[in-house]
Amino acid sequence: MQILLAAIVVVPLVGAVAALLPAPPGLKGKSPEQAVLRHGVTVTGAVLALSVALAAGFDHDHPARMQATTDISWIPALGIRIHLGVDGVSLPLLVLTALLTFLCALYSYYRMPAGPSPKAFVALILVLESGTLATFAVLDLMLFFLAFEMVLIPMYFLIARWGGESRERAAWRFILYTLLGSVVMLLGLLLIGIKGGTFDMVALATDNGSSLSHTTQLIAVLAIGVGLAVKAPMWPLHSWLPDAHTAAPTVGSVLLAGVLLKMGTYGFVRIVLPITPDGAHTFAPYLAAFAAVGIVYGSLVCLALARSGAKGDLKRLIAYSSVGHMGFVLLGIATLTPTGVNGALFANIAHGLITGLLFFLVGAIKDRYGTSDLDSLSGATGAALYGRAPRLGGLLAFGAVASLGLPGLAGFWGEMLAMFASFRPADGLSRPAFLTFMALAGLGTLLTAAYLLVVVRRVCMGGDGDGDGVTPATAPSGPGPFADVRSYEFAAWTPLVVLTVLAGLWPAALLGLTDPAVQQLLAGGK
């Protein structure tokens, strides 16, 4: 198990180096470009297989215990150790990361985004995977920061070199926002390590803040919380996200929404709640308030983008929907209750599956139609997917109803648990305030249903979305019938559909993993 976890983190890095080397003569295939793309599929497939093996060998009877641990001294003078391990909180995120990266590599093998050398593209994808997996596996504060930062440069280049219109501006906004947030977060991590006497996250969680004064905890939570909130993304620190998603290539958007956003919320659960409990309790109402505003704000922006004549972009709409959905995750964490934190972790996984599928679908629509502009896609001369590509239209409708939280699908449980926890937050938190946040979150679910149903009507049914049945005069002539779901798209999307259904019908499979670990984290590792 130790070797498995270490291999999961290291193999993508080795694969990234190998991707930059010339392909052996017997493995070149039709071209060097095809060989390196096949290499990407092979390496990410191997990492996925290792992750599944790790999950199979995980002791599901004791998910609160750190397993597959490695603890080696790295920089003795600073007390920094190479400390790896997984529990019920991190294991689902590891498997989700490995799955989404493999599906992106498989999709790119058949549909490589326009841009420079495939060698650099595959190497960046693998470095991004290694950094994300390390973030969920490391148990040392300094290693967590290094892994947290490791993903920024690959994502920057994926957007700047393989992205669409305005890609350089979007890439710069992404890197500047996240780097500035990370600098502040580093100061908070150093403060905890110096005052707590160790950078070991397990030891600090077990200590449960007893060696940190109240003032130290407040400063640390504020500093770390800013860095994590930028990545989450929490309103009003979210403004880099819509541009990044709109400009990113399809696989970049899938990984950004499905994996990178989870690093921020995971940091709140793994670091802030157990290590600085007093500081977390002080700032919880403010975190909940920002989360509730983000839920409503994201939904209102999506509703504005979805209406006829707004020149809304479908990728941008789904990006803003992430602000709302991740607001539910932050609201669950802010309740400081096992129910809320479990709901947040469940919503993390559900958002990765559903939004990853939606970005795949929007990428496919843009490839076929040439645009993701909603006014162009709507009306009788627009995409009208139910008539032109019924399977693609059906999948988009499925993704929409899953995203709006239809009971029986994965999107329902996380949002429901977050609102349920807001009804009765942790002791010492203002119940009237959290009831207000719960009401705002409930309003957000109604607005989410409204804009997603408008999108389905306009894109799938050919309606203009304003209720008068008249096609906008500005809508261009459509391209006629186009290809429905292709075989490689079916292979890349089916796992996400199946897991969305399974998680919705059998939530105990995931909650049974996370709940004991959450209970222990909130109790100070005891």
Side-chain angles (χ1 to χ4, degrees):
M1 292 287 283
Q2 289 177 307
I3 295 172
L4 271 179
L5 183 58
I8 287 170
V9 175
V10 172
V11 165
L13 274 183
V14 177
V17 174
L20 299 175
L21 302 176
L27 297 177
K28 283 185 179 178
K30 295 179 181 178
S31 67
E33 288 76 14
Q34 185 195 49
V36 74
L37 290 171
R38 186 172 61 241
H39 170 78
V41 176
T42 303
V43 174
T44 55
V47 173
L48 177 59
L50 291 171
S51 301
V52 172
L54 180 70
F58 188 81
D59 184 357
H60 292 263
D61 292 329
H62 302 91
R65 190 178 73 236
M66 280 295 171
Q67 302 181 34
T69 55
T70 298
D71 192 1
I72 303 169
S73 178
W74 184 35
I75 308 177
L78 299 177
I80 300 174
R81 308 181 66 81
I82 298 177
H83 192 183
L84 306 177
V86 289
D87 62 358
V89 170
S90 53
L91 180 64
L93 291 166
L94 275 173
V95 177
L96 175 69
T97 301
L99 173 64
L100 285 177
T101 311
F102 169 70
L103 297 180
C104 286
L106 180 64
Y107 186 87
S108 299
Y109 179 77
Y110 295 96
R111 190 73 187 183
M112 170 72 191
S117 163
K119 281 190 173 186
F121 176 81
V122 171
L124 289 170
I125 290 287
L126 292 175
V127 172
L128 181 68
E129 179 182 33
S130 180
T132 311
L133 290 168
T135 301
F136 299 136
V138 298
L139 297 172
D140 183 277
L141 289 178
M142 289 298 100
L143 282 185
F144 176 85
F145 175 78
L146 292 176
F148 199 85
E149 295 300 285
M150 184 176 167
V151 304
L152 301 184
I153 301 303
M155 183 54 71
Y156 167 81
F157 282 109
L158 286 174
I159 297 171
R161 295 292 177 263
W162 286 271
E165 189 177 348
S166 303
R167 59 182 181 269
E168 291 189 3
R169 176 177 175 272
W172 272 111
R173 288 196 73 180
F174 164 76
I175 199 74
L176 287 176
Y177 266 75
T178 50
L179 276 178
L180 287 173
S182 298
V183 168
V184 179
M185 183 178 74
L186 176 60
L187 298 177
L189 295 176
L190 288 172
L191 178 63
I192 288 177
I194 292 169
K195 294 294 186 180
T198 179
F199 290 105
D200 187 273
M201 291 157 67
V202 176
L204 288 166
T206 304
D207 186 60
N208 202 215
S210 61
S211 60
L212 303 174
S213 68
H214 184 69
T215 302
T216 298
Q217 291 193 37
L218 290 179
I219 297 172
V221 169
L222 187 60
I224 296 170
V226 168
L228 297 176
V230 170
K231 190 69 73 74
M234 183 187 78
W235 180 90
L237 303 175
H238 69 285
S239 57
W240 61 270
L241 183 71
D243 289 340
H245 270 309
T246 305
T250 297
V251 294
S253 292
V254 171
L255 292 175
L256 182 58
V259 178
L260 264 66
L261 304 189
K262 312 302 176 287
M263 295 164 61
T265 52
Y266 172 78
F268 276 107
V269 175
R270 177 65 72 196
I271 297 173
V272 174
L273 297 190
I275 297 177
T276 55
D278 292 344
H281 193 279
T282 300
F283 283 106
Y286 304 100
L287 178 62
F290 284 126
V293 171
I295 292 170
V296 177
Y297 168 81
S299 301
L300 288 174
V301 172
C302 289
L303 200 57
L305 290 172
R307 66 182 179 84
S308 177
K311 292 294 180 183
D313 185 275
L314 189 52
K315 282 190 77 174
R316 195 173 189 83
L317 183 146
I318 296 173
Y320 270 110
S321 78
S322 292
V323 177
H325 289 307
M326 297 307 289
F328 280 99
V329 178
L330 294 170
L331 178 61
I333 293 170
T335 65
L336 305 182
T337 63
T339 301
V341 177
N342 278 306
L345 294 172
F346 196 102
N348 258 345
I349 302 299
H351 180 265
L353 296 172
I354 297 167
T355 307
L357 175 62
L358 285 172
F359 275 117
F360 269 134
L361 292 168
V362 175
I365 293 170
K366 188 172 183 179
D367 287 341
R368 288 159 170 78
Y369 199 80
T371 181
S372 54
D373 178 75
L374 272 168
D375 286 339
S376 299
L377 293 173
S378 66
T381 57
L385 291 180
Y386 285 162
R388 289 178 173 164
R391 292 182 183 85
L392 189 59
L395 282 170
L396 182 62
F398 171 83
V401 297
S403 185
L404 64 82
L406 185 73
L409 297 176
F412 170 74
W413 294 105
E415 296 181 2
M416 187 275 289
L417 289 172
M419 288 192 289
F420 184 76
S422 298
F423 184 75
R424 197 173 296 278
D427 294 339
L429 297 178
S430 170
R431 194 175 180 216
F434 274 83
L435 288 175
T436 303
F437 303 146
M438 182 187 73
L440 290 173
L443 174 62
T445 62
L446 297 177
L447 295 173
T448 300
Y451 72 73
L452 285 171
L453 293 176
V454 169
V455 167
V456 169
R457 180 187 174 190
R458 299 187 71 191
V459 179
C460 296
M461 302 179 185
D464 62 359
D466 59 8
D468 60 9
V470 178
T471 300
T474 56
S477 298
F482 44 59
D484 209 337
V485 179
R486 300 181 176 99
S487 56
Y488 69 90
E489 293 171 333
F490 182 80
W493 302 343
T494 298
L496 301 179
V497 173
V498 171
L499 289 173
T500 298
V501 174
L502 288 178
L505 295 177
W506 191 26
L510 184 56
L511 294 173
L513 267 179
T514 61
D515 185 56
V518 167
Q519 297 272 4
Q520 182 167 300
L521 280 174
L522 293 179
K526 301 178 178 63

